Amino acid sequence: MSSTSPFSVRVVGAGVFGLATALSLAEAGLKVRVVADVEPGRTASGVAAGMLAPAFETLLDPPGGDALDLLLTARDLWPELAARLGLTLDRSGTAATGGADWTDRLEAGFRARGLRIGRVGRSEMEAWLPGLNPRYAGGLLTPEDWRIEPRVALAAMAARLAELGGILERRRLAPEDLRGETGPVVLATGADPALGAAAPELQGLAPIKGQILWRGDLPPPARVIRTEGAYVLGSEGGVLAGATMEPGRRDLTADAGAQAGLRAAVGALLPDAPPEGWSARAGVRAASADGLPLAGSASQPGVFLAVGARRNGWLLAPLVAKIVTAAVTGEDAGPWAVRLDPARFG
Ligand SMILES: Cc1cc2nc3c(=O)[nH]c(=O)nc-3n(C[C@H](O)[C@H](O)[C@H](O)COP(=O)(O)OP(=O)(O)OC[C@H]3O[C@@H](n4cnc5c(N)ncnc54)[C@H](O)[C@@H]3O)c2cc1C
């Protein structure tokens, strides 16, 4: 199929995978209709912290073994995408602070992988994070990990899609709604299993609930700060602190018990912050067996997948969008397509 002969494609899902893919398809000249049952920003994509963090994620929660090169490739697609959308990409870097054993181990991990990292003194760290635990001597700063503001980015993607003639429709689909579909369908349905009959691959995704905390009565940190068991960053005029990992759960209830570890880690970082005053939001991540997305053709003809982002949906979205667009248009999907091929689990 040629990008000069537009045809209709339906994308189910308006999270970051759905919107980034829809945008990429529209930019390739296709007529795109996005169907989603929830407003953009109200699913995992809008709850997320928006860190584009190939380095820290490789060290702290490596998906698919060591996928560093893949994650770095995805990150490096962001500057161009952000520029096209008129979005600010925060490239001021990510800091880390905590006990000396932890920061020493981290620094060694960065250096072993050839990732850039430097030492930061206590006064600089405290300027970035007022209220920092007085026992922490300083920490680390890497320019490798960046950030985007998720809800602003989702709104920009939806607006750009509309400018390109894309349609966003609010509706919940059942598998029978996809029967008789003549054009290609991209399923970007996150952790929702409802369309499993349309693509059996969706049944292999496991939910991981994530709760994230926010408060508006403390000064926003000047950049992302990682500590053992948590991160804090400035968002919407306050402090965002994340996030829990609750495998097997797909409910969106605020659960104080499950937040306990996160709250303790944030309490160690900011000992003077009152423990009350945090509000919680929850989202559900979808995880494949190897922690990497399913991007490309599904086993059902005409069905394509952009799902399974686990912790790195924001980071991976431009790469997934590129691979899925190439699969739909029949063009070369590039070297990472095999690693993310939905057929890799057999
Ligand atoms: C607390 C938390 C913090 C996170 N922090 C980060 C981070 O810092 N950096 C990062 O890269 N990632 C982060 N993530 C992960 C990231 O949020 C997810 O990987 C990503 O948002 C998944 O996007 P998605 O588009 O696949 O799914 P979702 O955002 O869940 O979107 C799914 C879409 O499918 C639609 N849908 C599903 N089923 C149907 C149906 N039957 N009919 C119609 N519509 C349907 C929904 O309406 C929705 O629009 C975080 C996640 C959580 C929970």
Side-chain angles (χ1 to χ4, degrees), residues 148-224:
I148 193 118
E149 192 64 64
R151 295 192 207 191
V152 175
L154 289 171
M157 285 179 187
R160 180 75 188 123
L161 183 65
E163 276 171 24
L164 294 172
I167 293 167
L168 185 52
E169 184 188 340
R170 178 91 63 84
R171 188 151 73 92
R172 182 155 182 84
L173 294 183
E176 51 273 22
D177 296 318
L178 297 174
R179 268 181 227 131
E181 184 83 29
T182 48
V185 178
V186 177
L187 299 181
T189 45
D192 193 320
L195 296 182
E201 292 90 339
L202 296 181
Q203 292 161 20
L205 297 176
I208 307 177
K209 178 180 173 182
Q211 298 182 71
I212 198 161
L213 309 174
W214 183 87
R215 67 192 300 156
D217 60 348
L218 295 178
R223 49 182 34 68
V224 177

Side-chain angles (χ1 to χ4, degrees), residues 12-19 35-40 42-53 57 171-174 188-195 208-212 226 231 233 242-244 281-286 306-316:
V12 188
V16 64
F17 271 11
L19 286 180
V35 187
D37 62 343
V38 179
E39 200 182 305
R42 301 289 298 276
T43 60
S45 300
V47 169
M51 296 179 295
L52 310 175
E57 288 300 310
R171 188 151 73 92
R172 182 155 182 84
L173 294 183
T189 45
D192 193 320
L195 296 182
I208 307 177
K209 178 180 173 182
Q211 298 182 71
I212 198 161
R226 299 265 194 166
Y231 54 78
L233 54 90
T244 66
R281 293 177 200 149
V284 186
R285 313 167 182 96
V307 289
R310 196 177 148 88
R311 283 166 62 116
N312 289 309
W314 277 95
L315 171 62
L316 289 164

Side-chain angles (χ1 to χ4, degrees), residues 84-160:
R84 287 209 308 279
L85 293 170
L87 288 170
T88 306
L89 199 55
D90 179 356
R91 295 181 63 169
S92 61
T94 294
T97 186
D101 284 357
W102 187 71
T103 50
D104 287 352
R105 271 202 313 278
L106 267 182
E107 185 178 10
F110 269 81
R111 295 205 187 285
R113 288 170 177 79
L115 291 163
R116 291 166 294 164
I117 189 88
R119 284 266 163 193
V120 177
R122 164 146 190 110
S123 57
E124 207 164 358
M125 191 68 80
E126 203 175 10
W128 298 337
L129 183 65
L132 173 68
N133 188 330
R135 288 190 292 112
Y136 295 167
L140 306 167
L141 177 67
T142 176
E144 304 284 5
D145 289 357
W146 309 338
R147 183 175 178 262
I148 193 118
E149 192 64 64
R151 295 192 207 191
V152 175
L154 289 171
M157 285 179 187
R160 180 75 188 123

Side-chain angles (χ1 to χ4, degrees), residues 59 114 132 138 209 239 292:
L59 279 144
L132 173 68
K209 178 180 173 182
V239 183
L292 292 171

